[in-house]
Amino acid sequence: MSRLLFPAAALLLAAQLSGCASTTPASVSATTPPTDATASTAVTPPATPAASAPAAGPFQVVSEQFADLRILRYEVPGFEALEPKQKELLYYLYEAALSGRDIIYDQNYQNNLRVRRTLEALWETNQERRAATTNTQQVEQAQQFNTYAKRVWFSNGIHHHYSTRKLLPEFSPAYFRELVQSTPERNLPLLPGQTLKQFTETMTSILFDPKVAPKRVNQEAGQDLLTTSANNYYQGVTQAEAEAFYAKKIDKNDQRPISYGLNSRLVKDKQGNIVEQPWKVGGLYGEALTQVAFWLNKALDVAETPEQRAALTKLIQYYSTGDLKLWDEYNIAWVHDTNSDTDVVNGFIEVYGDPLGYRAAYESVVSFKDVEATKRIKTIGDQAQWFENHSPIKAEHRKKNVVGITAKVITTVVEAGDAAPSTPIGINLPNATWIRKEHGSKSVNLGNIVEAYDRASAGGMLDEFAFDEAEKKRAKQYGALAGKLHTDMHEVIGHASGQINKGVGTTKETLKSYASAIEEGRADLVALYYLMDDKLVQLGVMPSLEVGKAEYDSYIRGGLMTQLVRLQPGETVEEAHMRNRQMVARWVFEKGRKDKVIEQVTREGKTFFHINDYQKLRTLFGQLLRETQRITSEGDYNAAKNLIETYGVKVDADLHKQVLARYQKLGIAPYAGFIQPKLVPVEQEGKIIDVKLEYPTDFAQQMLEYGRKYSFLPNVN
């Protein structure tokens, strides 16, 4: 609901250019976490640290490319200038973030932790076999194993991070069995009483059988979305049973509802009753959350402001109890912490991985404010009421008093869980609509992440898919700023705008599986509508409407063509952000077809989309914004379904084939993610006196290090 993963421009852009859980024992140092007897591995530093970049020479953004992925690196400018206490705070938040890493794996699929630990155990064996042979077939098998392992790490499990379809290894089952036989049994994640033969057979089926857990999130209309999805949010519960369970619990007249189901697994007990298993210290995922809470507790002592300390205290209490009312109290306190330069997103937050939109994935983003870059986004946030008042939506759907929007550009220090390695570029939180309405929200642009994408420019996309030289020139001159403004407007104004009618209920109740796509489309439309408004020129955040035109070009190009490179032939669009972009672009194309607002042109066998009238296109964006807000405000499920299924799901097979062929010639991976920076504390007499920043260069080594240091959950949860 609140995350901008990749705006339409970004595919092109990237391609071209006090219930505390624990307290610190008196006898340990400032960086020693508690030992949990039930944890799967000891909490000890890795024997071999990840390789770091050399001190001299230009910073290398691009690390490697494999499969459909590029691995990038980002800098953290301004870190060294921070005060020692700020660095110490960021270090504790960094450790808290990474301590929850196991959770996202288990949430994505119940066998992911066993798969990951198996791959980690086999990694060294595979490297030894590769180094010891000159047999080309063996070398190829070893390389295919490496690629598969890195894809699993990138996706936090065996399903593609974006399409959610199962990743199938290209190395053979026979080679896998050879690796298992050559690896010490003590290093493998066997279950109690399981023989090596049984383990091998089970893992072979999990990895290689395409019928086992084929999709992590199924959104295909007409199917049971729970029983056909492989995620670990539900066990033994059908879609109808889950919907009935919450229909009985939720009072649609409650003006301040808790986020039902946000932090629990829904299962059937031995008596067949449906119950929630909360994720909390002492409960499900308790071993990892104990570690998260430990580091958050450490952060309390060096919090920048009383408001920040109050928010962190509430977060620790929430993890300790699982009480969703405390989650709301934490979010309110977090929204009101506006004076701290450092900040953290930590929790079960986004619901994209649950086809019903109840359960949220663990994630964390640790950051500090980029003061200079914040001026642009703050200028927009300060005018939130003007934008709301002048929106084309119905008057009764507008907020009469937009409150508490805090807008800033942040410098990211580390990301974890669902936010890494593939990262958002913009965030707006909290997700609860009533908290937004009464207390406001925080909107951020991840400045150094966007900068890294810009610097990783690979070239080629613009020349291949832009209609003419004028469009290319405009993109090169204004594309980067246009993308940033789109992110700013999407997060700051888009998600914070509009209101739901009294008694209607939240969108996950009313719009169900279409809620995320409609919400992301609505936020995109707010941004698009105002990017061709002179107000942004008057505010001084863009020089002319040519910036808006550049974004319109990019959005239509991406929504109708270039994002199709992320799909395999024959697939339909299922990911929420892709659905929203295609829905918006296809709707305005069809509605403006008579007047040739957007024209589909074929030239030398290649298809292009050319905007003939930008102002008419803006009017169409406004009309669709009005409709998506009406759907949201009134909870019109049938209209949401019709809009997404008609415009956002189906793919033109011939166009798709053409786009894939044109894209393949460019040799550019369609997805990118990041190696994370590393914080290293400098201690003196058991106290941290400074924190050093390192930039690892090897993705696999970082993943192996994380596996050694932050593996707290059992193999099966």
Side-chain angles (χ1 to χ4, degrees):
M1 293 295 189
S2 64
R3 172 187 294 182
L4 188 58
L5 291 175
F6 237 62
L11 179 60
L12 174 61
L13 187 64
Q16 57 166 348
L17 307 166
S18 176
C20 298
S22 58
T23 56
T24 309
S27 60
V28 300
S29 78
T31 60
T32 303
T35 299
D36 192 323
T38 60
S40 62
T41 59
V43 186
T44 55
T48 306
S52 298
F59 186 86
Q60 297 296 316
V61 174
V62 180
S63 174
E64 62 177 312
Q65 179 169 314
F66 53 87
D68 59 353
L69 304 171
R70 281 206 301 170
I71 303 298
L72 311 179
R73 301 162 67 236
Y74 63 90
E75 291 187 277
V76 188
F79 182 84
E80 296 302 332
L82 296 174
E83 296 294 326
K85 286 294 184 183
Q86 291 177 310
K87 293 182 183 180
E88 184 178 357
L89 172 62
L90 289 170
Y91 169 72
Y92 294 145
L93 298 176
Y94 162 95
E95 289 289 350
L98 292 170
S99 291
R101 176 176 178 261
D102 271 359
I103 297 173
I104 186 63
Y105 278 86
D106 196 74
Q107 289 179 317
N108 284 344
Y109 176 51
Q110 63 180 348
N111 290 310
N112 270 339
L113 285 173
R114 296 183 71 200
V115 170
R116 194 195 79 198
R117 289 167 181 162
T118 298
L119 296 175
E120 290 169 350
L122 301 182
W123 182 267
E124 184 176 351
T125 302
N126 187 60
Q127 308 319 304
E128 291 173 351
R129 288 171 66 91
R130 182 183 179 187
T133 184
T134 57
N135 182 293
T136 56
Q137 186 176 6
Q138 287 290 309
V139 170
E140 183 179 5
Q141 290 280 293
Q143 183 57 45
Q144 288 169 342
F145 175 89
N146 287 352
T147 297
Y148 178 74
K150 287 187 280 189
R151 295 187 78 187
V152 169
W153 287 324
F154 190 96
S155 295
N156 295 314
I158 67 170
H159 298 89
H160 193 279
H161 75 288
Y162 209 82
S163 73
T164 80
R165 286 173 173 79
K166 185 174 182 176
L167 301 169
L168 293 173
E170 294 186 6
F171 58 92
S172 69
Y175 185 77
F176 173 72
R177 289 191 287 269
E178 289 175 12
L179 289 180
V180 172
Q181 292 296 327
S182 301
T183 301
E185 187 173 324
R186 65 181 181 276
N187 294 342
L188 297 168
L190 275 68
L191 299 181
Q194 189 178 43
T195 66
L196 184 61
K197 180 180 179 181
Q198 291 171 332
F199 168 81
T200 305
E201 290 175 350
T202 298
M203 298 309 296
T204 300
S205 176
I206 291 171
L207 265 63
F208 293 94
D209 190 340
K211 295 180 182 179
V212 173
K215 287 200 68 178
R216 176 166 59 85
V217 184
N218 181 32
Q219 292 283 13
E220 189 171 339
Q223 297 189 11
D224 187 311
L225 302 185
L226 299 192
T227 59
T228 58
S229 295
N231 64 65
N232 201 17
Y233 292 133
Y234 303 87
Q235 290 185 357
V237 180
T238 68
Q239 179 179 348
E241 289 172 331
E243 290 175 343
F245 177 82
Y246 286 108
K248 293 178 181 178
K249 292 176 71 77
I250 297 173
D251 178 5
K252 291 186 177 181
N253 292 313
D254 185 353
Q255 296 300 296
R256 297 182 179 88
I258 63 171
S259 299
Y260 288 95
L262 191 75
N263 66 333
S264 67
R265 181 188 293 162
L266 199 64
V267 303
K268 286 184 179 178
D269 62 17
K270 294 181 180 179
Q271 289 73 42
N273 300 312
I274 297 178
V275 295
E276 292 179 319
Q277 295 178 330
W279 305 325
K280 64 176 183 176
V281 173
L284 196 57
Y285 300 149
E287 301 91 340
L289 292 175
T290 295
Q291 304 292 327
V292 174
F294 168 83
W295 292 108
L296 292 175
N297 228 355
K298 299 283 289 181
L300 292 179
D301 294 333
V302 286
E304 284 194 75
T305 64
E307 291 81 8
Q308 186 179 61
R309 180 181 176 85
L312 291 173
T313 299
K314 287 291 184 183
L315 181 57
I316 295 168
Q317 292 173 346
Y318 162 64
Y319 278 142
S320 301
T321 64
D323 186 344
L324 284 168
K325 288 186 177 180
L326 285 171
W327 173 246
D328 287 342
E329 291 176 12
Y330 157 69
N331 277 284
I332 292 169
W334 179 76
V335 164
H336 289 293
D337 173 27
T338 58
N339 294 322
S340 301
D341 287 331
T342 56
D343 206 351
V344 64
V345 171
N346 189 298
F348 304 109
I349 297 171
E350 301 297 355
V351 298
Y352 302 112
D354 178 0
L356 299 188
Y358 283 95
R359 319 197 118 66
Y362 171 81
E363 73 171 83
S364 187
V365 178
V366 178
S367 65
F368 58 92
K369 184 189 295 185
D370 182 332
V371 177
E372 186 61 31
T374 292
K375 293 177 182 178
R376 180 193 73 243
I377 195 171
K378 184 178 184 300
T379 298
I380 293 171
D382 288 346
Q383 295 294 319
Q385 191 65 61
W386 185 93
F387 290 114
E388 187 78 352
N389 293 344
H390 291 80
S391 174
I393 65 177
K394 291 182 178 181
E396 60 266 33
H397 297 157
R398 296 176 189 153
K399 287 180 179 176
K400 303 300 183 291
N401 182 30
V402 180
V403 299
I405 294 181
T406 302
K408 60 184 177 180
V409 176
I410 62 172
T411 298
T412 307
V413 176
V414 73
E415 296 171 294
D418 196 36
S422 178
T423 168
I425 60 172
I427 298 172
N428 178 275
L429 291 171
N431 281 330
T433 54
W434 71 267
I435 296 179
R436 291 174 182 272
K437 182 178 180 180
E438 295 182 20
H439 299 277
S441 62
K442 285 183 179 179
S443 295
V444 299
N445 180 306
L446 283 64
N448 57 331
I449 297 295
V450 174
E451 173 67 17
Y453 277 127
D454 288 349
R455 291 174 61 185
S457 171
M461 285 286 286
L462 198 59
D463 288 333
E464 181 60 46
F465 291 101
F467 174 72
D468 57 17
E469 290 303 319
E471 187 175 317
K472 295 176 189 177
K473 181 179 178 181
R474 188 160 48 233
K476 291 175 182 177
Q477 186 171 0
Y478 299 115
L481 175 59
K484 291 175 182 177
L485 284 173
H486 179 101
T487 302
D488 294 347
M489 295 297 296
H490 175 106
E491 299 294 351
V492 179
I493 305 301
H495 282 305
S497 68
Q499 61 184 355
I500 295 175
N501 293 354
K502 186 176 181 180
V504 168
T506 63
T507 56
K508 68 182 178 185
E509 301 161 47
T510 58
L511 307 185
K512 302 180 181 179
S513 62
Y514 301 103
S516 293
I518 290 292
E519 173 60 18
E520 295 303 325
R522 191 183 69 84
D524 266 357
L525 286 161
V526 171
L528 291 165
Y529 182 76
Y530 284 115
L531 274 164
M532 281 296 292
D533 196 304
D534 283 323
K535 181 68 173 180
L536 295 185
V537 179
Q538 295 167 12
L539 292 174
V541 296
M542 70 182 193
S544 73
L545 294 183
E546 288 297 301
V547 177
K549 290 181 180 180
E551 185 61 16
Y552 278 24
D553 293 338
S554 178
Y555 197 93
I556 296 303
R557 193 166 57 238
L560 295 180
M561 280 199 305
T562 58
Q563 74 168 6
L564 295 178
V565 304
R566 297 179 169 188
L567 301 178
Q568 296 299 313
E571 291 183 342
T572 58
V573 181
E574 294 195 38
E575 198 279 330
H577 295 82
M578 286 185 68
R579 280 187 168 190
N580 101 68
R581 285 192 291 267
Q582 178 169 295
M583 178 271 291
V584 170
R586 180 62 60 182
W587 190 94
V588 294
F589 172 67
E590 295 293 346
K591 298 301 180 183
R593 186 189 289 270
K594 181 179 178 181
D595 295 330
K596 293 186 177 180
V597 176
I598 303 170
E599 191 173 3
Q600 183 172 343
V601 179
T602 300
R603 189 172 62 221
E604 297 179 354
K606 296 181 178 181
T607 299
F608 301 89
F609 289 91
H610 176 58
I611 300 171
N612 290 314
D613 194 323
Y614 290 91
Q615 287 300 329
K616 283 187 178 180
L617 179 54
R618 186 197 183 208
T619 299
L620 290 172
F621 283 140
Q623 292 172 5
L624 185 54
L625 171 58
R626 184 181 179 92
E627 174 62 5
T628 54
Q629 183 60 60
R630 183 199 67 77
I631 289 170
T632 300
S633 297
E634 298 176 5
D636 191 340
Y637 172 80
N638 289 330
K641 178 181 179 180
N642 181 65
L643 193 59
I644 298 300
E645 292 292 340
T646 302
Y647 298 101
V649 175
K650 301 171 186 176
V651 175
D652 182 323
D654 291 335
L655 178 60
H656 187 198
K657 181 179 179 181
Q658 178 199 137
V659 168
L660 289 175
R662 292 163 66 182
Y663 183 78
Q664 186 177 16
K665 296 177 182 178
L666 302 177
I668 304 170
Y671 303 99
F674 291 91
I675 299 172
Q676 301 297 316
K678 181 178 181 179
L679 299 191
V680 181
V682 179
E683 293 187 61
Q684 189 175 82
E685 297 179 356
K687 295 183 178 180
I688 293 177
I689 59 172
D690 195 11
V691 177
K692 298 298 182 183
L693 181 69
E694 296 181 357
Y695 293 109
T697 59
D698 190 307
F699 177 64
Q701 289 305 313
Q702 180 167 85
M703 294 297 99
L704 291 168
E705 179 179 341
Y706 284 176
R708 290 189 293 266
K709 188 174 181 182
Y710 302 108
S711 191
F712 300 116
L713 294 182
N715 292 319
V716 177
N717 296 274

